[in-house]
Amino acid sequence: MGETKSREPDFIREIVTEELKQGKWGGKVVTRFPPEPNGYLHIGHAKAICLDFGIAKEFGGRCHLRFDDTNPTKEETEYVEAIKEDVRWLGFDWGEHLYFASDYFEQLYEWAVELIKKGKAYVDDLSPDEIREYRGTLTEPGKESPYRNRSIEENLDLFARMRAGEFPDGSKTLRAKIDMASPNLNLRDPVMYRIRHVSHHRTGDKWCIYPTYDWAHGQSDSIEGITHSLCTMEYEDHRPLYDWFIEQLGIHHPRQIEFARLNLSHTVMSKRKLLQLVEEGIVAGWDDPRMPTLAGLRRRGYTPEAIRDFCERVGVGKTQNVIEVALLEHCLREDLNKRAPRAMAVLRPLKVVIENYPEDRVEELEAINNPEDPTMGTRKVPFTRELWIEQDDFRENPPPKYFRLLPGAEVRLRWAYVIKCVGVVKNERGEVVEVRCTYDPNTLGINPTDRKVKVTIHWVSARHAQPAEVRLYDNLFLVPKPDEDENWKAHINPNSLERLTNCYVEPSLANAAVGSHYQFERLGYFVVDPDTRPGALVFNRTVTLRDTWAKIEKQLEEK
Ligand code: ATP
Ligand code: MG
């Protein structure tokens, strides 16, 4: 980490550079990240955050965090707090520039009155369904509402009474008076205000009319002096509307630039769908380690560094595509490989007894914490007569090319001795419950070259082992693009979580802090889960060691 890869600047950075060269914006760059507090942030938002905050930082400007909280029925304070935590966790800081669109409700109201006075907005009595009907289609022009030509006085009076709470929900709207025949549907008299007699998480019961996102967004950017309003492609068609509002009002005009959303394979990203997964109990919560949310990725063991690296590699363009989750995992492995201390853990334990090793002896053997980073030093691991090894690392009747432990064969124990299997103990069902071995006392050494053994296996001293639960995760969806099917839930992976409750980890992990990362030798990267309690460790498998992305890259290079 910390290494900056020099990449070609993307088209947005090129635009900003060019504008600053021409002295536009008084040489300053002000961006914003504008989440709607109606769900948790996901990896797609991370791309927007890295772009918004990243550009501000690179050009010596600032980035605002603004909650676009215009829809009180779906928004909650819980989301506001979670979003702030996630942005900070990702490594970005808005300083004192925390804003809420709801802080601008009064200003927006005044501007709406101004548009009415200019004959550019009117109160409509059509119902939401009728408005939809009148709007027309991409191929047919819309129809003008019979209320479109109300007098300015009547509009001012009705709008004031809307605000005063005289009318029921859905009975009236305020609409911009633009062009019902415009080829751009967004310009066909878009709704600016709706009546909703509901409390807002910040303004309480002060308002019963709420601005639409389209009416609030551009003006909020303008109020804050945003220079570059970066948003995803679906807002391209809204840009003429935002421009129209700003021009009518004659206020500061930010430049909106659209870029392609990030899509990730084997997951869904729409907040509506993520909410469904949570509400229907398909996952344990917004921070379930299988979720593509930042809270979920964090709990899974993702690091902010890996996510930022991923966002940088994905880049910024205008074409939609689906990025392989394997790339995200690859970025994580690269980061953790450098930082995560190694440790030994046995997930599916099988007892090994070393017959020629004294019963009461304990040797503290030296183990290297991270071969990638000598500064991380070494630790001691206790070695005794009885050990746990992985069930998979022993076969009584091995398949061809099985080089691990089997009757009569030798393996090396990591950081310890070479052992040889001399027998097994079975239970009544004929299953091997214990492997009997002997050890060779002359084979100890950190870098053993003295002996030809094909395989080194990991182990934990039975007497010192710390019991642990380990949760193994797989993709939440079985197919790369579940969104392509309307029935997306049919593709949920029924085996996305496997809980192993009888695992053992080496004693140095007894007090491992929640959120700390380890590479369990030969098994993958793991992180301590918040469910951990004293004496009952819980680990999540963050990612396995098999890097499928590196393979894909290699194949591409060879072509
Ligand atoms: P909604 O459907 O609720 O509007 P949203 O995903 O657009 O969901 P917002 O809270 O409005 O969520 O998003 C905040 C910002 O993050 C917006 O500027 C949006 O363009 C950007 N963003 C959202 N999803 C992605 C994504 N997948 N990739 C890149 N940017 C995204
Ligand atoms: Mg949105």
Side-chain angles (χ1 to χ4, degrees):
M1 274 127 338
E3 62 177 315
T4 42
K5 294 167 197 89
S6 55
R7 290 206 167 72
E8 291 286 302
D10 54 69
F11 78 100
I12 298 181
R13 286 174 166 89
E14 272 172 3
I15 291 173
V16 176
T17 308
E18 188 52 37
E19 286 180 346
L20 291 187
K21 224 189 280 166
Q22 293 165 2
K24 227 181 148 187
W25 312 111
K28 76 175 184 206
V29 171
V30 185
T31 60
R32 86 289 171 262
F33 173 63
E36 206 185 324
N38 60 354
Y40 278 56
L41 298 181
H42 52 60
I43 183 77
H45 292 114
K47 173 176 172 175
I49 294 169
C50 288
L51 186 65
D52 294 324
F53 281 91
I55 285 192
K57 198 168 170 187
E58 286 154 44
F59 291 92
R62 62 172 202 258
C63 180
H64 299 180
L65 175 61
R66 181 179 69 245
F67 288 96
D68 269 334
D69 54 351
T70 53
N71 183 355
T73 56
K74 287 187 183 164
E75 294 162 4
E76 285 172 33
T77 315
E78 177 202 340
Y79 297 135
V80 171
E81 292 311 313
I83 288 170
K84 286 201 256 179
E85 187 186 343
D86 288 345
V87 175
R88 263 191 227 110
W89 175 75
L90 206 52
F92 298 104
D93 184 8
W94 53 89
E96 65 231 45
H97 299 286
L98 173 66
Y99 302 106
F100 292 84
S102 53
D103 289 342
Y104 311 139
F105 281 177
E106 194 64 52
Q107 173 70 76
L108 289 169
Y109 180 84
E110 280 167 29
W111 277 336
V113 168
E114 195 179 321
L115 291 190
I116 293 174
K117 286 183 180 160
K118 285 186 166 167
K120 299 289 184 184
Y122 63 97
V123 173
D124 196 0
D125 292 4
L126 291 183
S127 69
D129 283 342
E130 287 165 330
I131 290 181
R132 216 166 299 129
E133 236 170 80
Y134 275 63
R135 183 172 296 132
T137 64
L138 283 172
T139 48
E140 284 164 50
K143 249 186 345 187
E144 293 188 354
S145 163
Y147 305 98
R148 196 175 197 261
N149 294 313
R150 278 175 159 150
S151 70
I152 290 172
E153 288 66 35
E154 192 185 359
N155 280 322
L156 287 173
D157 174 60
L158 287 172
F159 189 48
R161 287 164 60 196
M162 276 168 69
R163 176 180 184 168
E166 284 188 29
F167 308 114
D169 285 7
S171 59
K172 285 184 169 38
T173 55
L174 184 76
R175 298 179 69 178
K177 194 171 183 175
I178 310 180
D179 178 6
M180 287 307 291
S182 169
N184 183 339
L185 267 65
N186 293 299
L187 296 177
R188 293 186 190 171
D189 292 10
V191 172
M192 296 165 63
Y193 277 92
R194 299 190 187 93
I195 303 175
R196 291 228 169 109
H197 291 267
V198 288
S199 299
H200 183 279
H201 73 114
R202 295 191 84 243
T203 57
D205 292 325
K206 181 168 182 214
W207 295 89
C208 63
I209 55 171
Y210 288 98
T212 56
Y213 185 87
D214 275 346
W215 167 238
H217 188 78
Q219 278 59 256
S220 301
D221 279 348
S222 178
I223 291 170
E224 292 177 20
I226 302 300
T227 57
H228 298 85
S229 175
L230 311 178
C231 59
T232 36
M233 289 308 293
E234 67 269 24
Y235 292 104
E236 195 174 27
D237 290 345
H238 295 241
R239 179 156 29 92
L241 172 60
Y242 298 173
D243 288 346
W244 186 88
F245 281 139
I246 292 227
E247 278 155 24
Q248 296 304 318
L249 297 168
I251 56 179
H252 166 73
H253 198 154
R255 174 162 184 185
Q256 174 172 313
I257 307 172
E258 303 88 14
F259 62 93
R261 291 178 93 83
L262 169 71
N263 298 304
L264 192 64
S265 75
H266 297 91
T267 192
V268 291
M269 215 97 95
S270 119
K271 280 193 271 191
R272 185 177 56 79
K273 289 177 183 169
L274 294 175
L275 181 64
Q276 233 174 307
L277 292 171
V278 172
E279 285 186 337
E280 293 174 18
I282 296 166
V283 296
W286 284 99
D287 70 344
D288 186 296
R290 292 165 292 181
M291 291 281 272
T293 52
L294 295 182
L297 292 166
R298 175 164 67 235
R299 189 160 181 182
R300 175 77 168 259
Y302 272 84
T303 61
E305 289 84 354
I307 293 176
R308 293 199 303 261
D309 180 33
F310 170 74
C311 291
E312 204 181 300
R313 290 194 204 204
V314 163
V316 182
K318 279 193 173 275
T319 6
Q320 281 263 19
N321 54 0
V322 177
I323 306 291
E324 283 290 331
V325 68
L327 175 60
L328 180 61
E329 292 176 347
H330 172 77
C331 296
L332 182 63
R333 282 188 195 96
E334 283 211 334
D335 183 27
L336 291 179
N337 182 38
K338 285 179 257 163
R339 294 202 290 168
R342 275 49 171 173
M344 291 198 284
V346 172
L347 304 191
R348 296 174 180 88
L350 173 64
K351 179 68 76 66
V352 164
V353 177
I354 302 171
E355 293 180 347
N356 60 340
Y357 197 89
E359 214 152 301
D360 49 3
R361 186 148 147 207
V362 181
E363 274 181 283
E364 295 287 340
L365 304 180
E366 191 168 36
I368 291 173
N369 285 333
N370 188 347
E372 301 288 322
D373 181 1
T375 67
M376 289 173 73
T378 60
R379 69 187 185 286
K380 299 287 188 193
V381 285
F383 185 83
T384 55
R385 176 183 162 92
E386 297 198 4
L387 312 171
W388 295 115
I389 65 164
E390 215 65 68
Q391 286 169 19
D392 261 3
D393 284 336
F394 174 80
R395 282 284 178 280
E396 192 184 16
N397 303 302
K401 293 193 182 159
Y402 186 89
F403 297 119
R404 290 173 256 175
L405 201 55
L406 50 113
E410 288 187 330
V411 294
R412 174 170 287 282
L413 295 175
R414 182 74 156 152
W415 312 120
Y417 301 99
V418 171
I419 57 168
K420 178 177 185 170
C421 172
V422 294
V424 295
V425 177
K426 294 184 181 179
N427 63 14
E428 349 38 278
R429 277 167 288 163
E431 297 155 349
V432 175
V433 291
E434 196 174 292
V435 182
R436 308 292 293 190
C437 293
T438 55
Y439 86 114
D440 180 343
N442 298 315
T443 51
L444 185 64
I446 267 185
N447 287 309
T449 48
D450 49 343
R451 188 74 160 240
K452 285 224 161 55
V453 270
K454 281 219 165 69
V455 168
T456 299
I457 66 171
H458 58 274
W459 53 276
V460 179
S461 161
R463 203 190 310 167
H464 299 88
Q466 300 291 314
E469 174 180 331
V470 174
R471 298 171 185 169
L472 307 178
Y473 299 98
D474 197 356
N475 291 331
L476 196 49
F477 290 89
L478 294 165
V479 296
K481 302 178 187 177
D483 278 326
E484 281 185 343
D485 188 348
E486 213 174 302
N487 187 13
W488 56 280
K489 280 193 277 181
H491 303 286
I492 287 176
N493 178 359
N495 302 313
S496 57
L497 168 60
E498 186 182 357
R499 293 168 82 130
L500 303 174
T501 52
N502 183 30
C503 311
Y504 293 110
V505 301
E506 62 171 73
S508 72
L509 270 48
N511 298 309
V514 169
S516 44
H517 296 91
Y518 295 92
Q519 185 196 99
F520 289 169
E521 302 234 16
R522 300 172 68 226
L523 298 174
Y525 294 98
F526 293 75
V527 67
V528 183
D529 189 80
D531 283 348
T532 285
R533 297 288 171 267
L537 291 160
V538 180
F539 289 91
N540 296 319
R541 184 172 67 195
T542 304
V543 67
T544 62
L545 295 174
R546 207 182 48 232
D547 193 337
T548 51
W549 183 261
K551 257 193 238 156
I552 296 171
E553 265 188 345
K554 207 163 154 223
Q555 283 167 1
L556 288 176
E557 273 167 26
E558 280 164 6
K559 265 183 199 165

